Amino acid sequence: MKNFISVHDVTDINALVKKALAYKADPFKDRLLGADKRVGLLFLNPSLRTRLSTQVAAKNLGMEAIVFNVDKEGWALEFEEGAIMSGNTVEHVKDAAPILGQYFDILCIRTFPSLNNREDDYSEMYIHQFIKYAGVPVISLESATLHPLQSLTDIITIQENWKNINRKPKIVLTWAPHIKPLPQCVANSFAQWMNAWGEAEFVITHPEDYELAETFTKGATITHDQNAALENADFVYVKNWSTYTDYGKMYENDPSWMLTEEKMTITNQAKVMHCLPVRRNIELSDEILDGPHSLVSKEAGNRVWAAQAVLSEILMDKK
Ligand code: CP
């Protein structure tokens, strides 16, 4: 694996999941693989799980991980080619990235979308500029449109919790209310990985006007009827996202879209997933999050094994 910015960087999803679960069973089995190697974790936005799980994963492989909060501690970066830098940006990525490429063997980057300009966000300029100029492998820690480490984690968690070999699980991605517009990354990415994986009956449900980009959802069943979607679901993935068509807006915050125990009775005793952080009793009720159906905490724990599998693939490729 050269870079990890989407499912397209993965040749065999099931093999990568198997590798992650092998690390879960024996975290230190490749403790020397990353010896004398350094990974740089660059954050242009906040994180709890992604940051810490990737640090733990690197440590398990014998790598040193160095975190740099670019948004708070670094010079403001410019990403536009040919920019006349008379504004707030201080350093161009084409100057900064090659230096980081000399300091680190692998660069990991988190950048959120602006939610102001869809064309800019969906061009994924930030992460592509790092790949262009760093000269070392780049791992996305969530970008403007995708969150591949989260989606790999989600498939790991589903595989761990689905033991029925006689049929595929029904997996529902449902929109949930929120208090402010959020990126589409997690939903886009989950849809992209589900469709590429192909080992589930995959349904997306959301209110009207919350369509996601077809490039990620193509292949899924899409409905505005949440109850119909939830019928006989085995897994329910809960997530808010802002509008894609009239970009970055929050048209409504209908609380009836929040998943409750009552709605869960329609499902096949489904397991509930969420990437976290979650707004309790807005996106998901306490009763679900604290109840027996929730996989949320285990899912977050699995972030380590996803990161470890990806770091391992890239280290092996570099050998
Ligand atoms: N799910 C996730 O990416 O969490 P963080 O934003 O805390 O990293």
Side-chain angles (χ1 to χ4, degrees), residues 46-51 110 142 147 150 275-277 303:
S47 165
L48 185 154
R49 280 145 291 273
T50 307
R51 171 180 174 145
R110 166 165 282 199
E142 188 169 353
H147 196 352
Q150 181 65 53
C275 62
L276 298 177
R303 291 295 305 269

Side-chain angles (χ1 to χ4, degrees), residues 282-299:
I282 299 284
E283 288 178 89
L284 258 174
S285 61
D286 277 342
E287 59 181 355
I288 300 260
L289 281 164
D290 301 331
H293 298 295
S294 175
L295 287 180
V296 169
S297 182
K298 285 184 184 156
E299 184 183 356

